[in-house]
Amino acid sequence: MEFNGEAILITGGSGGMGVAMARRLARSGARVTLCDLFPDAIDRAVAELADEGVEVIGVTADTTDEESMRAAVATVVDRWGALYGLITAAGIRQTAAGFMDLDLADFEKIYAVNVRGTFVALRAAAPELIKSKGAAVTIASVTADGARMNQSAYCSSKAAVLNLSKQVALELAGDGVRVNVLCPGVTMTPMIEQAMRTDGPNLLKEKVGGSLEAFRPGIPLGRLAEPDEQAAAVEFLLSPKASFITGTAVYVDGGVSMLV
């Protein structure tokens, strides 16, 4: 797919999926800005892509803060003249903990980043997306439609992202703005590698065998997703080829969602 210099802002841009999305979109002709809370992380991501011959720019912003996100959007508009696309890839996971044991502060932090951050980013970008008749892709999860043991905060936060995105899609449809949702399955990113270290080295291995006996959801295709497979779906959803698609959740999960 080809873009023609359209400016796209990616929150959580220094993460594994954010970098993969930036790589694919920039190579397709988009002008990509990575946004993250941590300057060092942004600098590393921009440098990593530069080493591959992929040119992107970075901006530091807090997705939970409206003024900060408005400033990030303004940076994109000042640099490129318009904002065409938004990807809300900023998110945090939950360390496995039962509903009765989960610290309330951890619950609130997960909702602040995953839900409030998505809301704030969408609202900050909306005026510019209306001007450009652009598109947004939010990042939920295959868990948005189901429960997972010891993941009450994470799963419910991603359910909120899914429903919020549909609501925003409905409200902005009349302005010509499309909003869709990517629901990734387990993808080999640094976040998942951390989960494998902290939640037990065998946890994800049990999920990847495609065996319902080993782990109820299983992964029918028998492997984890690669970040570029998620990026390819986002590229399509932002492209003109998805011009009549809005308010839709796209599951890139190896078949997990059909088993839930």
Side-chain angles (χ1 to χ4, degrees):
M1 294 172 204
E2 293 295 324
F3 290 89
N4 188 28
E6 290 89 344
I8 297 173
L9 176 64
I10 306 175
T11 72
S14 68
M17 279 200 282
V19 170
M21 292 167 189
R23 179 185 296 113
R24 176 173 278 271
L25 290 165
R27 286 176 173 169
S28 295
R31 292 167 170 165
V32 177
T33 300
L34 301 181
C35 170
D36 200 282
L37 180 61
F38 303 105
D40 290 347
I42 281 292
D43 290 344
R44 284 194 300 270
V46 170
E48 174 187 339
L49 291 167
D51 288 343
E52 301 173 12
V54 177
E55 183 180 355
V56 303
I57 65 171
V59 61
T60 302
D62 179 355
T63 59
T64 69
D65 181 84
E66 286 195 294
E67 288 188 12
S68 182
M69 279 309 302
R70 288 193 192 109
V73 169
T75 297
V76 175
V77 175
D78 290 345
R79 178 70 177 265
W80 306 120
L83 175 66
Y84 170 78
L86 172 71
I87 303 166
T88 62
I92 57 175
R93 59 178 294 274
Q94 175 189 339
T95 301
F99 164 73
M100 295 297 291
D101 300 319
L102 179 64
D103 190 284
L104 185 57
D106 292 336
F107 177 89
E108 291 172 343
K109 182 178 180 180
I110 289 165
Y111 264 72
V113 176
N114 294 358
V115 185
R116 178 188 171 104
T118 299
F119 180 91
V120 168
L122 284 167
R123 192 154 71 172
E128 297 300 328
L129 296 179
I130 290 169
K131 292 177 186 176
S132 66
K133 306 299 183 186
V137 177
T138 64
I139 310 300
S141 168
V142 66
T143 66
D145 280 336
R148 296 291 186 275
M149 186 63 73
N150 297 327
Q151 291 291 318
S152 58
Y154 181 79
C155 292
S156 60
S157 76
K158 290 302 185 177
V161 169
L162 176 59
N163 201 288
L164 169 64
S165 303
K166 292 183 176 183
Q167 180 68 32
V168 176
L170 177 62
E171 294 191 20
L172 296 185
D175 295 306
V177 177
R178 299 183 299 105
V179 181
N180 290 294
V181 192
L182 178 71
C183 293
V186 183
T187 304
M188 187 49 73
T189 64
M191 181 185 290
I192 292 302
E193 292 171 357
Q194 180 187 10
M196 293 177 73
R197 291 192 298 270
T198 60
D199 292 345
N202 296 320
L203 177 63
L204 294 179
K205 292 179 183 178
E206 292 175 355
K207 294 185 180 183
V208 182
S211 168
L212 294 178
E213 290 72 29
F215 192 89
R216 183 181 175 275
I219 298 179
L221 288 184
R223 63 176 179 84
L224 275 64
E226 295 296 329
D228 188 61
E229 291 174 304
Q230 307 296 344
V234 169
E235 178 188 26
F236 167 71
L237 290 171
L238 289 176
S239 78
K241 293 189 177 183
S243 59
F244 204 59
I245 300 175
T246 195
T248 294
V250 175
Y251 291 79
V252 182
D253 62 0
V256 170
S257 55
M258 66 183 173
L259 302 176
V260 175

